[in-house]
Amino acid sequence: MRVGPSRDYKVSWVYRREQLPLKVLRVVDGWRLVQDSEGTQGWVSSSLLSPRLTALVVGEGLAPMRDAANANGGLKWNLEPGVVGYLGGCSDGWCELDVKGYRGWVSQSRLWGAGEP
């Protein structure tokens, strides 16, 4: 992550964890002004970003992953805050999430990256 939209700008942060969701705030040429789940903003080359959407489990305590998109769906797994998965569709406050092949539904309120772009 850089402080400006080119390689001429200083590097301000290096992300080492793959698949972390970033919110794109602005587009300039081949660069994206992004924000992470902690509010940090900076510029990233678009070539370093994946078009595949991900989400990060947030909040306190375990987040249940269910077999249906509602609170009455059967419990499949419990996810710890900080878990990242590939985001599927969202409907009525629930989002489909794939965490290393384990798929289910998680409350959208427990996911960062599953809201408005």
Side-chain angles (χ1 to χ4, degrees):
M1 179 180 282
R2 295 183 181 270
V3 297
S6 87
R7 290 184 173 264
D8 296 333
Y9 287 93
K10 179 179 116 183
V11 172
S12 61
W13 191 257
V14 176
Y15 290 96
R16 303 228 185 260
R17 188 168 174 203
E18 292 183 23
Q19 302 173 358
L20 283 177
L22 296 170
K23 178 189 263 187
V24 176
L25 304 174
R26 207 162 87 200
V27 176
V28 173
D29 296 320
W31 292 84
R32 306 294 184 261
L33 175 62
V34 297
Q35 179 177 334
D36 68 19
S37 64
E38 296 178 357
T40 302
Q41 292 184 12
W43 293 89
V44 176
S45 171
S46 61
S47 66
L48 298 175
L49 300 174
S50 170
R52 194 160 181 200
L53 298 178
T54 60
L56 175 73
V57 176
V58 295
E60 297 294 321
L62 299 174
M65 179 182 273
R66 305 205 173 267
D67 64 4
N70 61 63
N72 297 322
L75 180 65
K76 294 180 85 174
W77 299 279
N78 282 309
L79 305 176
E80 292 183 356
V83 167
V84 175
Y86 290 111
L87 188 61
C90 295
S91 176
D92 296 324
W94 290 85
C95 296
E96 194 170 21
L97 196 66
D98 177 339
V99 180
K100 297 183 179 178
Y102 296 94
R103 293 182 178 98
W105 294 87
V106 179
S107 173
Q108 188 170 357
S109 66
R110 293 297 309 269
L111 298 174
W112 191 90
E116 291 294 317

